[in-house]
Amino acid sequence: KVSGAGIFVAVAAILVVVALLIGAIGVVNDRGWFARTKNVVKVEGANGEVFEVDGAMMTYFFTTQFNNIYQTYYQMLSSYASGSDVNSMVYQYMGIADPNKSLKDQNMKGAEGADPITAFDYYMNLTEQYVTRMLTYCQFASKAGLALTDEDKEEINHTIEELKKSFESEKAMYDQYAALGLSISYPYKNFNEYLAGNYGAGVNERDVRNCLELVTLAAKFEEKLTDEKKQGILGDKANTAVEEYVKENPAAFLMADYYSY
């Protein structure tokens, strides 16, 4: 027989344990553990190597793709929209009605009769296309005998070191604010938190390094492919290679100069 006080203590203990579990799960999730265990896409190279992107890496690619698109529109619009709210115009062009609202909770304006799609799904589709193309190039690079050189790895290290310098510089600036008595605290305690704040929850240094390695290897094959195309064009007296290249890359030739326009 259990007294009323005993039942109360038992229930309180259970609630404490549940709260601790929820808190622990939240911490693990914030650090990207769950995302990292989820494989998004994986391909095998010619020599048995595996090129894969997990959930945390996908978050990095999504954020970088989104930011690249934003910067492209910003540069385009700021060239003639000085003095106005360029940010608002950029988000308008990107189909985002409210930048303070989750991309998953707002739909893009699509063509008449088309099914609505959230802003998140739209930009995630673009990211998926990029990642698929990148991994395909990595696979082709393996078949062509291409691999990351020591110079490539050193360049990746340099990129990460520059990110660390940015983190340390920002942290030092906030420390100076604190020394002056200003109640402004830096939101990131360490470098991984800084990366998560800039590239998405759960993204850490290892994720960024893995992503940069894939991007670098894909770029090596793309460069090789471009060089082969150039050689084919230069050695083709009948210009058939030129015509083929133009057909494969219409966006490089059929364009409008919006600055002049």
Side-chain angles (χ1 to χ4, degrees):
K1 184 177 180 180
V2 183
S3 66
I7 293 175
F8 176 79
V9 171
V11 171
I14 292 173
L15 292 176
V16 169
V17 171
V18 171
L20 289 174
L21 284 174
I22 293 174
I25 290 172
V27 170
V28 171
N29 184 57
D30 289 342
R31 292 179 179 175
W33 190 86
F34 292 120
R36 212 165 283 112
T37 59
K38 180 182 179 182
N39 181 270
V40 178
V41 60
K42 177 173 66 175
V43 298
E44 292 186 5
N47 302 312
E49 64 270 66
V50 176
F51 306 111
E52 60 183 326
V53 172
D54 59 32
M57 294 169 67
M58 199 68 179
T59 299
Y60 170 86
F61 284 124
F62 176 88
T63 305
T64 52
Q65 288 295 302
F66 184 88
N67 289 341
N68 288 340
I69 295 171
Y70 175 90
Q71 290 298 328
T72 299
Y73 275 112
Y74 190 91
Q75 292 175 8
M76 178 183 74
L77 295 172
S78 62
S79 63
Y80 66 87
S82 58
S84 62
D85 189 355
V86 181
N87 284 324
S88 296
M89 294 181 64
V90 171
Y91 285 122
Q92 180 181 353
Y93 271 79
M94 292 180 68
I96 298 172
D98 186 356
N100 297 316
K101 188 178 180 181
S102 171
L103 297 180
K104 296 180 180 180
D105 296 331
Q106 49 185 323
N107 289 335
M108 300 278 289
K109 290 184 179 179
E112 185 176 353
D115 293 333
I117 182 173
T118 66
F120 175 83
D121 287 338
Y122 175 81
Y123 287 104
M124 180 55 79
N125 287 340
L126 295 181
T127 304
E128 289 172 352
Q129 293 173 24
Y130 170 81
V131 169
T132 301
R133 180 169 179 259
M134 178 194 66
L135 289 181
T136 301
Y137 274 15
C138 287
Q139 198 172 31
F140 288 158
S142 175
K143 293 180 180 179
L146 299 175
L148 295 181
T149 63
D150 291 339
E151 185 178 353
D152 295 328
K153 295 176 182 178
E154 184 60 33
E155 185 63 30
I156 292 172
N157 288 335
H158 176 72
T159 299
I160 292 177
E161 286 302 316
E162 289 298 311
L163 288 172
K164 288 182 178 179
K165 288 180 181 179
S166 297
F167 161 69
E168 292 168 357
S169 176
E170 288 184 14
K171 189 176 183 302
M173 181 176 63
Y174 276 83
D175 289 341
Q176 290 179 356
Y177 291 154
L180 294 173
L182 300 176
S183 58
I184 304 176
S185 60
Y186 193 50
Y188 311 121
K189 297 178 182 178
N190 53 54
F191 181 55
N192 279 334
E193 286 190 8
Y194 170 82
L195 293 176
N198 284 275
Y199 295 110
V203 176
N204 62 24
E205 181 178 346
R206 184 182 66 178
D207 301 319
V208 174
R209 184 180 296 277
N210 290 340
C211 291
L212 292 177
E213 288 178 352
L214 292 176
V215 170
T216 303
L217 182 59
K220 289 175 74 72
F221 177 77
E222 189 169 21
E223 183 179 0
K224 179 179 183 297
L225 192 64
T226 302
D227 289 341
E228 290 176 351
K229 286 285 186 181
K230 287 181 179 178
Q231 292 301 321
I233 289 173
L234 292 174
D236 184 9
K237 303 303 180 182
N239 288 331
T240 53
V242 176
E243 294 176 2
E244 180 184 353
Y245 185 79
V246 173
K247 289 179 181 178
E248 291 178 353
N249 302 273
F253 303 95
L254 308 178
M255 63 176 67
D257 186 340
Y258 50 79
Y259 289 103
S260 300
Y261 181 79

